[in-house]
């Protein structure tokens, strides 16, 4: 059996190395979050790279079910920080809890020209694939 994508390694060691030494541009794509059902129907897109000011709902962990706005995208640690999702330190200081984008669902997108063009591009690709399957 041959490899489907020759640019990816099947070796655990090399896959981990490429993941943890990935540049910021690649990390952005890795840090994609799925869209909720309504947005998925509307845009015909399954997931999109997360960004500041998106509104998300946490789907895993002790904060499951909480809805919050993304305050920062921490690409170096592969985490997002959300509004009012924090914990108290022993000295009383509040620190944000980092959550991986795959454990969130985007409920509201912050749209601008670039984001709309990305959605349009993904949708076109999906439409072409669907037409190919029909014939």
């Amino acid at each position: 059996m041959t490899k489907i994508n020759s640019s990816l390694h099947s070796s655990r060691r090399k896959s981990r190395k490429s993941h943890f030494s990935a540049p910021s541009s690649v990390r952005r794509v890795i840090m994609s979050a799925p869209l909720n059902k309504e947005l998925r129907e509307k845009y015909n897109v399954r997931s999109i790279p997360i960004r500041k000011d998106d509104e998300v709902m946490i789907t895993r962990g002790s904060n499951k079910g909480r809805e919050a706005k993304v305050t920062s995208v921490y690409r170096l640690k592969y985490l997002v920080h959300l509004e009012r999702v924090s914990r108290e330190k022993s000295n009383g200081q509040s620190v944000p809890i980092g959550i991986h984008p795959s454990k969130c669902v985007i409920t509201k997108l912050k749209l601008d020209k670039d984001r709309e063009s990305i959605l349009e591009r993904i949708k076109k690709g999906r439409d072409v694939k669907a037409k190919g399957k029909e014939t």
Side-chain angles (χ1 to χ4, degrees):
M1 190 173 136
T2 59
K3 270 204 305 196
I4 296 165
N5 190 347
S6 60
S7 65
L8 295 174
H9 269 286
S10 52
S11 159
R12 174 181 164 86
R13 180 185 190 176
K14 290 178 182 176
S15 295
R16 284 179 58 83
K17 185 177 192 296
S18 67
H19 178 80
F20 292 110
S21 62
S24 183
S25 57
V26 175
R27 284 175 187 247
R28 177 182 162 273
V29 178
I30 293 170
M31 291 178 72
S32 291
L35 272 62
N36 69 356
K37 288 224 166 60
E38 294 85 52
L39 291 174
R40 204 181 297 170
E41 296 286 315
K42 185 178 177 184
Y43 296 112
N44 194 17
V45 172
R46 189 170 186 84
S47 69
I48 193 164
I50 204 162
R51 70 168 282 183
K52 190 178 170 180
D53 295 331
D54 280 346
E55 287 182 26
V56 298
M57 188 178 80
I58 303 170
T59 56
R60 291 285 182 270
S62 56
N63 292 303
K64 183 178 180 175
R66 286 179 71 176
E67 291 203 34
K69 198 174 191 180
V70 177
T71 55
S72 70
V73 178
Y74 204 151
R75 287 190 190 169
L76 191 69
K77 291 186 177 179
Y78 286 107
L79 297 170
V80 290
H81 292 143
L82 307 175
E83 223 171 57
R84 298 182 310 278
V85 179
S86 56
R87 63 186 295 263
E88 294 287 316
K89 281 170 61 170
S90 57
N91 65 3
Q93 191 181 358
S94 178
V95 261
I97 296 174
I99 292 163
H100 195 275
S102 68
K103 305 305 174 199
C104 300
V105 169
I106 298 175
T107 55
K108 191 176 175 193
L109 289 166
K110 178 173 191 291
L111 287 174
D112 55 13
K113 278 192 305 204
D114 297 329
R115 206 92 187 273
E116 285 172 359
S117 69
I118 290 168
L119 287 167
E120 197 58 43
R121 194 172 65 223
I122 297 171
K123 187 178 180 177
K124 270 186 192 163
R126 289 207 155 196
D127 292 342
V128 169
K129 272 188 182 175
K131 281 183 183 170
K133 285 182 179 176
E134 286 173 11
T135 55

